[in-house]
């Protein structure tokens, strides 16, 4: 399965700034069935780490002064959570029906099947399962990705006898799809500064990856209202933590003597990359 392949870039977890941390915790725990790994509060902020039984995937933080991200601010189009197998995606869809979670849509993208939704503070979410990467089609260096109807009946059929859904071990952030207000500048940043390859293009959108994944980062300029990076106390993704293989890390961040590098992305999100 392609979800088992180890690529030169792998996401660890994201930090999400939130306004109503209890409401957001309930959504990710009670509806999306993530586990609470840590819940700490001090004089300055509250932090809640969520994920599988063994791995943090998302960290909610609140300082108590947050404002919901403005319509003109860029952030992420969606965070995409990769499930370890197709049966788990069917079980997740079954859970959405049971919990009456409003979905934004579903899509068969040739390389994967995906379910789309939005959390209570407007952060886009994709939950998906990859198809076997050996069956992905490539043409002139670009991976073939479309959007067709998902066979929902088959997803429900193959998950019919599974226990009640909980985020399974092996779930991780598979890719991050960004909003942009200068798509060409952003594309150049990701290719030149981070060493990613363009693997697919759409009007006002690029998809980039390392080692032939269908995409680690997506970016689009589909919403012309987005004009500025996220403000400091606005809600939304603040940090993305990832790991890069040592050879690639040393090449991209050759000036770094440490085994970790912090990069400010064009839309204001901080990317923390560790060498592995």
């Amino acid at each position: 399965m392609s979800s088992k392949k180890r690529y030169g870039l792998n996401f660890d977890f994201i930090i999400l700034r939130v306004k109503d941390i209890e409401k957001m915790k309930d959504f990710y725990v009670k509806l999306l069935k993530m586990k609470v790994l840590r819940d700490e509060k001090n004089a300055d902020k509250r932090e809640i780490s969520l994920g599988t039984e063994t791995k943090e995937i998302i960290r909610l933080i609140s300082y108590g002064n947050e404002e919901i991200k403005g319509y003109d601010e860029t952030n992420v189009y969606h965070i995409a959570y990769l499930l370890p197998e197709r049966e788990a995606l069917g079980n997740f869809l079954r859970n959405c029906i049971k919990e009456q979670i409003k979905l934004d849509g579903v899509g068969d993208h040739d390389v994967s099947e995906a379910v789309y939704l939005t959390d209570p503070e407007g952060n886009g979410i994709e939950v998906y399962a990859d198809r076997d990467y050996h069956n992905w089609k490539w043409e002139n260096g670009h991976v073939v990705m479309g959007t067709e109807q998902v066979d929902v009946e088959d997803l429900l059929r193959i998950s019919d006898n599974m226990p009640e859904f909980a985020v399974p071990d092996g779930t991780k952030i598979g890719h991050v799809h960004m909003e942009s207000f200068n798509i060409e500048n952003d594309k150049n940043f990701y290719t030149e500064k981070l060493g990613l390859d363009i693997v697919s293009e759409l009007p006002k959108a690029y998809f980039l990856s390392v080692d032939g994944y269908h995409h680690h980062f997506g970016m689009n300029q589909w919403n012309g209202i987005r004009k500025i990076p996220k403000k400091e106390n606005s809600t939304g993704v603040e940090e993305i933590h990832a790991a890069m293989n040592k050879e690639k890390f040393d090449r991209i961040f050759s000036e770094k003597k440490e085994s970790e590098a912090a990069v400010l992305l064009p839309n204001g999100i901080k990317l923390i990359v560790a060498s592995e």
Side-chain angles (χ1 to χ4, degrees), residues 66 80 108 149 183 193 195 226 229 244:
E66 286 76 20
D108 183 333
Q149 289 186 341
I183 191 72
K193 302 294 186 183
R226 311 291 193 217
M244 185 178 284

Short mmCIF file of all heavy atoms in Angstrom, two decimals, residues 66 80 108 149 183 193 195 226 229 244:
data_model
loop_
_atom_site.label_atom_id
_atom_site.label_comp_id
_atom_site.label_asym_id
_atom_site.label_seq_id
_atom_site.Cartn_x
_atom_site.Cartn_y
_atom_site.Cartn_z
N GLU A 66 -7.92 34.85 20.88
CA GLU A 66 -8.03 34.54 19.45
C GLU A 66 -9.27 35.18 18.82
O GLU A 66 -10.31 35.34 19.46
CB GLU A 66 -8.10 33.02 19.24
CG GLU A 66 -6.78 32.30 19.42
CD GLU A 66 -6.39 32.12 20.87
OE1 GLU A 66 -7.28 32.20 21.74
OE2 GLU A 66 -5.20 31.88 21.14
N ALA A 80 -4.97 17.19 5.46
CA ALA A 80 -5.43 15.89 4.97
C ALA A 80 -4.88 14.78 5.84
O ALA A 80 -3.66 14.60 5.96
CB ALA A 80 -4.99 15.70 3.52
N ASP A 108 -13.20 10.68 -5.65
CA ASP A 108 -12.26 9.65 -6.08
C ASP A 108 -11.23 10.34 -6.97
O ASP A 108 -11.56 10.83 -8.06
CB ASP A 108 -12.99 8.55 -6.84
CG ASP A 108 -12.08 7.41 -7.25
OD1 ASP A 108 -10.86 7.64 -7.43
OD2 ASP A 108 -12.58 6.28 -7.43
N GLN A 149 -16.85 10.34 -8.86
CA GLN A 149 -17.70 9.91 -7.75
C GLN A 149 -17.05 8.75 -7.01
O GLN A 149 -16.45 7.86 -7.61
CB GLN A 149 -19.07 9.50 -8.26
CG GLN A 149 -19.94 10.65 -8.74
CD GLN A 149 -21.35 10.21 -9.09
OE1 GLN A 149 -21.61 9.03 -9.31
NE2 GLN A 149 -22.27 11.15 -9.14
N ILE A 183 0.23 32.75 -6.27
CA ILE A 183 0.47 31.34 -6.53
C ILE A 183 1.82 31.07 -7.18
O ILE A 183 2.51 30.10 -6.85
CB ILE A 183 -0.69 30.75 -7.37
CG1 ILE A 183 -0.60 29.21 -7.43
CG2 ILE A 183 -0.74 31.34 -8.75
CD1 ILE A 183 -0.95 28.53 -6.16
N LYS A 193 13.21 26.71 -2.44
CA LYS A 193 13.65 26.75 -1.05
C LYS A 193 13.50 25.41 -0.34
O LYS A 193 14.27 25.10 0.58
CB LYS A 193 12.86 27.82 -0.27
CG LYS A 193 12.98 29.23 -0.83
CD LYS A 193 14.38 29.78 -0.70
CE LYS A 193 14.43 31.25 -1.14
NZ LYS A 193 15.81 31.79 -1.08
N GLY A 195 12.89 22.34 -2.19
CA GLY A 195 13.31 21.24 -3.03
C GLY A 195 12.21 20.28 -3.45
O GLY A 195 12.47 19.12 -3.76
N ARG A 226 -8.57 36.24 -0.53
CA ARG A 226 -7.38 36.06 0.32
C ARG A 226 -6.25 36.97 -0.17
O ARG A 226 -5.78 36.85 -1.29
CB ARG A 226 -6.91 34.61 0.28
CG ARG A 226 -7.99 33.58 0.50
CD ARG A 226 -8.53 33.56 1.90
NE ARG A 226 -9.33 32.35 2.12
CZ ARG A 226 -10.43 32.31 2.85
NH1 ARG A 226 -10.86 33.41 3.45
NH2 ARG A 226 -11.09 31.18 3.01
N PRO A 229 -1.26 37.19 4.81
CA PRO A 229 -1.03 36.03 5.68
C PRO A 229 -1.89 36.09 6.93
O PRO A 229 -2.41 37.15 7.30
CB PRO A 229 0.46 36.14 6.04
CG PRO A 229 1.05 37.03 5.00
CD PRO A 229 -0.04 37.98 4.62
N MET A 244 12.43 15.18 7.43
CA MET A 244 13.02 15.00 6.10
C MET A 244 14.24 14.09 6.23
O MET A 244 14.98 14.21 7.22
CB MET A 244 13.41 16.36 5.53
CG MET A 244 13.92 16.36 4.10
SD MET A 244 14.30 18.06 3.53
CE MET A 244 12.65 18.71 3.24
#
